[in-house]
Amino acid sequence: MVLHDVKGAHELAGKLAEIFHFLLRNRHFNETVQHAAYRRDVLPWPDTASKLVSLLHSKANTQASGSLDDLGETWQSLHENYEHFERIETIEDLASALWLIADPEKKRPKAKRSVLDEMWTALTHAKGFGGKTAALFVKSIVDIHTLDVNKDLSFLHDFTISSEDFLMVPVDRVILHIFTEIGLGSPSFTKINGVIREYGLQSSRWPTLWDDLWFWGFITQRMAKIAPTAGEKEVSTMVRRTELNEPKFWSILGTPAHLWPQVREAAEEFRTIVTSPALLPA
């Protein structure tokens, strides 16, 4: 993806760099939140296959309006191919197994690709899944097997990924709003991931870093009612605003409650970064 507006590209690069370094400094807050969620998804289940099924269901259920009929076909296919999931030991095994529950009309690409991209592509072809939910699943697998906080949750063997691998960011309305605020025109899942990839703002130590945008965006966004102006129909509209929203922090199961003063300070910094003019890179 190439941004042709040079001034706009420089401003966006500056803003993304600010956000990237903010996320690096504050990684530990969302790690705590995510670890609690992964424990709920993984620990109750006794073997690799059941852990994977739990994670797939968990991510599919994040959709606001998923199709139960489509997902039903995927869950049925998963049941029919369960023996393959029982034999999974490595990330390569997992990528191959995910193609078994993909829509049979979708063909596996012939071109060689990274195992993470293979996993994401396969799952986007499973009925009821989309780019965001597929990205959430891949992200959860990587987090569980690469972050020290999740050592007690890992279940795949010999888990390694290349520092060159790019993980798709699970873009939702919260993240779309952030990119709108920082000046990316018509943001979308594809466009946002393209911009992040283009600027090379990645961390080999924390490959899922950009997903932290959801946490910071979630607690710094609020829906507000806008009254109609004179002459308009008397219908109020709801708009999303960037401002601290403390109740959302307390609503998260597993939230680091004892760290709220530090989180509040960091959230105010994040809000300022998102809403202020960009610092242009040298």
Side-chain angles (χ1 to χ4, degrees):
M1 175 184 176
V2 178
L3 294 175
H4 298 287
D5 181 344
V6 175
K7 182 176 182 293
H10 283 185
E11 290 178 348
L12 184 61
K15 187 60 68 176
L16 287 175
E18 286 185 74
I19 292 174
F20 178 72
H21 292 296
F22 169 87
L23 296 178
L24 281 175
R25 294 194 310 273
N26 295 283
R27 181 73 178 100
H28 55 292
F29 294 117
N30 193 38
E31 275 190 2
T32 300
V33 172
Q34 296 301 314
H35 176 67
Y38 295 143
R39 287 180 67 86
R40 294 193 299 273
D41 288 341
V42 169
L43 279 186
W45 304 98
D47 52 54
T48 294
S50 59
K51 292 177 190 295
L52 289 169
V53 171
S54 174
L55 283 169
L56 285 166
H57 274 267
S58 172
K59 304 318 161 192
N61 289 336
T62 63
Q63 299 176 93
S65 57
S67 169
L68 187 59
D69 289 338
D70 286 345
L71 282 171
E73 291 188 42
T74 294
W75 302 142
Q76 181 178 352
S77 179
L78 178 56
H79 175 74
E80 292 168 351
N81 290 282
Y82 197 79
E83 63 183 38
H84 294 278
F85 283 81
E86 290 179 314
R87 295 198 293 267
I88 290 174
E89 295 186 356
T90 67
I91 190 173
E92 289 79 10
D93 296 339
L94 174 56
S96 296
L98 289 175
W99 279 107
L100 298 175
I101 63 172
D103 185 339
E105 295 183 2
K106 305 290 185 180
K107 301 298 182 183
R108 187 173 187 172
K110 294 181 180 179
K112 180 73 174 175
R113 56 183 62 204
S114 76
V115 65
L116 298 181
D117 191 42
E118 183 84 7
M119 288 170 57
W120 179 79
T121 303
L123 200 49
T124 60
H125 290 332
K127 290 186 176 181
F129 279 81
K132 186 202 82 169
T133 44
L136 278 172
F137 176 78
V138 175
K139 178 248 180 192
S140 68
I141 294 294
V142 172
D143 273 352
I144 288 169
H145 292 89
T146 61
L147 298 180
D148 289 342
V149 70
N150 297 321
K151 279 184 177 178
D152 62 326
L153 305 180
S154 63
F155 53 86
L156 296 176
H157 303 307
D158 304 319
F159 192 97
T160 58
I161 60 173
S162 169
S163 60
E164 303 299 318
D165 281 343
F166 179 82
L167 275 77
M168 293 290 187
V169 178
V171 173
D172 64 356
R173 292 178 182 177
V174 167
I175 295 178
L176 286 172
H177 177 73
I178 292 170
F179 276 83
T180 297
E181 287 278 76
I182 65 174
L184 181 64
S186 303
S188 64
F189 178 94
T190 301
K191 196 170 185 179
I192 288 172
N193 276 286
V195 165
I196 292 174
R197 187 194 296 257
E198 179 179 351
Y199 286 117
L201 295 169
Q202 300 178 61
S203 168
S204 58
R205 182 178 179 187
W206 290 297
T208 62
L209 181 69
W210 282 98
D211 184 61
D212 285 7
L213 283 177
W214 175 85
F215 174 73
W216 296 107
F218 183 69
I219 64 174
T220 58
Q221 293 178 21
R222 184 186 300 272
M223 299 302 295
K225 184 179 292 186
I226 304 298
T229 59
E232 293 183 338
K233 293 182 179 179
E234 294 184 3
V235 178
S236 299
T237 57
M238 300 297 291
V239 297
R240 190 178 295 267
R241 288 179 170 170
T242 302
E243 58 184 70
L244 187 64
N245 194 339
E246 183 177 342
K248 282 189 174 181
F249 172 82
W250 296 109
S251 74
I252 301 172
L253 182 61
T255 199
H258 63 294
L259 298 178
W260 168 240
Q262 296 96 309
V263 172
R264 179 177 55 203
E265 182 179 355
E268 286 289 4
E269 179 187 356
F270 180 77
R271 183 194 61 77
T272 300
I273 291 172
V274 169
T275 58
S276 64
L279 298 175
L280 295 181

